[in-house]
Amino acid sequence: MSAMTQNLADKRVLVRVDFNLPLEDGHVQDDTRIRDATETIQRLLQANAKIILLSHISDESNGSNVGSFQPIIPTIEKVLNKKIVFIPSLDSADAVIEMAPAGSIILLDNLRLYPGEEQCDISFAKRLAQLGDFYINEAFSASHRNHASLVHLPRMLPHALGIAFRREITIIDQFLHHGSSPKMAIVGGRKLSTKVYLLKKLITKVDKLALGGGIAGAFLSFFGNTNFSVFEQKDYVEEVINIINTAKSCGCKLIIPVDFSALVSNSDHMDHAIISSDNRCASIFDIGPESVKLFMQHIDESRMVLWNGPVGLFEKTPFNFGTEQLALHIAQATREKRIESIVGGGDTVYAMNRFGVANDITHLSTGGGAFLTYIQDESLPGLSAVLEDETRIF
């Protein structure tokens, strides 16, 4: 264990975490982000610091940012194995923090209860800064946002990156610049529009790029499926052509599905079928078994594999097949030390947990948008604010 280079005993340490956890009927579905912050929090407890956790949470049931941490405090306490001192309002924060002894974990309720957070209001950041003596950013998954607690607050206090945050960027940097070749990336998802910049970056960094989900559809007409009408790719023709040409010039092999799992309609009903050519009555929801074999072959020829985005509608049977089989294969290859694997993005991480392979992946990123942004730009607003004048403590 590395020693702290900053004496934080009895100091108030503001730790920006991302405890915006997926909920269903008020119950936490995945506590990964709490567990990722545990190492930093435990180090601070060992230093006898007074820890003040700052985070946002969204109430996705009504599409609102206005939710409260109060219902999920038992989950946080269970993971951290420590009683939480809860601050329901910023108005009472100073008194609660003053009364709490060193070694306490204190949680301020949802930062997005205050408009100044999302407005990146410097006066709101100054109010938060009054609560602490030191600041740590352990919220990689939120740091692509220009919010007050991420951008302004670290510039007002001595500051550092959290352990998990530093691990995230170190592993991504290793993949992009220093890792063992051949390197492969798998990119899925429904819409090409959300992944164009990611694809443009990856084709300059990897030897092979496999496409799944709706993203693959935009490329089909350029790979022999000239009549495949179930995908709308006309809005992205220039981007697709640019990606294909750049891939050729960079020596990156594009891997496109050769068959699909679909619902095919006739006059009476819908049937599940595997299709390998144009079918104007098909609704495609997954890659097919031959495509899975093709992807696996290229995985086995690689040393490092990065995966973002499921290759099909993995929540529904039988369209879980492609994503599940690839997850199991990557997990096995990782266990056998044939590859190093990096998986990022909310849906993809959820799939790894769903299929029971999360613990077998070399690195499972908690970031969704932040994961994509860092790969694309190799920078994040919340990261840049800390790195300007960081005080290393771990």
Side-chain angles (χ1 to χ4, degrees), residues 58-135:
S58 301
D59 185 355
E60 295 183 356
S61 63
N62 61 19
S64 170
N65 283 328
V66 184
S68 174
F69 279 109
Q70 200 154 16
I72 66 172
I73 287 177
T75 300
I76 300 172
E77 291 178 332
K78 181 179 179 181
V79 174
L80 298 181
N81 194 28
K82 180 82 172 177
K83 190 72 176 174
I84 298 293
V85 179
F86 182 60
I87 306 176
S89 169
L90 193 53
D91 295 336
S92 60
D94 300 272
V96 173
I97 293 169
E98 178 68 25
M99 291 288 291
S104 298
I105 300 179
I106 303 159
L107 173 65
L108 178 67
D109 206 359
N110 190 0
L111 288 174
R112 291 187 183 175
L113 291 167
Y114 308 94
E117 169 67 357
E118 293 184 274
Q119 293 170 1
C120 205
D121 185 348
I122 196 166
S123 61
F124 177 66
K126 288 179 179 178
R127 176 67 186 98
L128 293 176
Q130 293 172 358
L131 305 178
D133 305 301
F134 201 91
Y135 171 92

Side-chain angles (χ1 to χ4, degrees), residues 123-160:
S123 61
F124 177 66
K126 288 179 179 178
R127 176 67 186 98
L128 293 176
Q130 293 172 358
L131 305 178
D133 305 301
F134 201 91
Y135 171 92
I136 295 175
N137 187 339
E138 190 56 296
F140 169 79
S141 51
S143 289
H144 59 307
R145 303 187 185 282
N146 281 294
H147 290 175
S149 66
L150 296 160
V151 175
H152 290 315
L153 183 54
R155 296 183 170 120
M156 298 173 180
L157 295 169
H159 51 262

